[in-house]
Amino acid sequence: MGLFDGKKGVVFGIANERSIAWAITQQLFAQGAEIGFTHLPDKDPERPKNANKVKKLVEPLGAKFVVPCDVQKDEDLDAVFAKITEQFGKIDFVLHSIAFAPPADLTQEVYKCSRAGFSLSMDISVYSLIAMCGRAKAIMNPGGSILTLTYLGGEKVIPGYNLMGLCKSALESSVEYIASEMGADGVRVNALSAGPVRTISASGVGDFKKMLTLYETFSPLRRNITEEEVGKSGMFLLSDMSGGITGETLHVDCGYHVMG
Ligand code: 0WD
């Protein structure tokens, strides 16, 4: 008996085997979930690198579908939700594990970021959650759960996190507002605030290596989190085990957030 037997949902944000979404996906599959996936569209359809990377991971585990989706495009989101509805009818969970900021804007002081870079970052990293929730509302079963990924840099100033810190503040605020709105349907919305994990996105954050050392030295558990720990906590927040939790940002960071 798995926690997700009979449960269906969609995962946005696997780029490769290091992605946090992949760590959570493995736990969901282990608990019996039926899952559809999206990947960042490939620029050259003749060389579908993104599609192949995601398919290679999820198809052996029984993915129900793998489709492209650029979250900046309403038509892509509409097509994905049409696919979800056709495949599953109603769903029980949505995992949003997506963020992006142009390197030129992300690696500068916040006051130097461009208008275009700010809009793009907010669009991909924040509005995408709002857009998904709006589309998911009609097809979520009562008891359903929506989860996004955030970082402590949205609550406190973390050197090097810069523009993405602003995005994560807005994302966490979106989680609270949407949780209050969708709670009437019995749907929960939460954020998992992960400690640093080596992924492609993380490589764009300046001082990332310093972050790992900082957590190892100063977090209460004196180490960095493992991908498996993030995977299990993510699965927990998407499962009925977290039934009373909504509008929450849960820190999965070896306790680092309590340190002054
Ligand atoms: O230390 C870390 N890695 C932490 C990550 C600590 C705490 C939080 N997070 C967050 C990130 O900010 C993000 O919200 O976790 C989430 C997932 O990030 P990740 O697993 O670290 O990164 P990655 O494996 O790169 O997945 C993010 C993916 C993109 O990957 P690439 O590397 O290709 O940019 O987001 C997707 C894409 O697959 N993505 C998009 N998907 C659809 N449309 C778009 C887009 N426009 N842009 C990026």
Side-chain angles (χ1 to χ4, degrees), residues 224-246:
N224 279 286
I225 45 150
T226 65
E227 289 183 28
E228 192 183 349
E229 286 167 336
V230 178
K232 286 181 174 168
S233 300
M235 184 270 287
F236 160 75
L237 285 171
L238 288 171
S239 79
D240 292 344
M241 299 289 280
S242 59
I245 301 176
T246 194

Side-chain angles (χ1 to χ4, degrees), residues 13-16 18-21 39-41 69-72 97-100 124 149-151 161 164 168 192-202 208:
I14 298 182
N16 62 24
R18 292 194 153 185
S19 298
I20 290 176
H39 63 82
L40 194 58
C69 178
D70 179 349
V71 295
Q72 286 200 279
S97 186
I98 284 173
F100 180 77
I124 296 180
L149 269 296
T150 188
Y151 178 61
Y161 205 59
M164 193 48 69
K168 294 307 190 190
L192 188 164
S193 184
V197 177
R198 278 182 202 277
T199 63
I200 317 183
S201 292
F208 183 75

Side-chain angles (χ1 to χ4, degrees), residues 114-137:
S114 67
R115 190 184 298 274
F118 179 86
S119 301
L120 178 74
S121 308
M122 285 283 178
D123 189 21
I124 296 180
S125 312
V126 186
Y127 183 72
S128 59
L129 175 72
I130 297 170
M132 281 176 206
C133 290
R135 286 166 175 81
K137 188 177 183 299

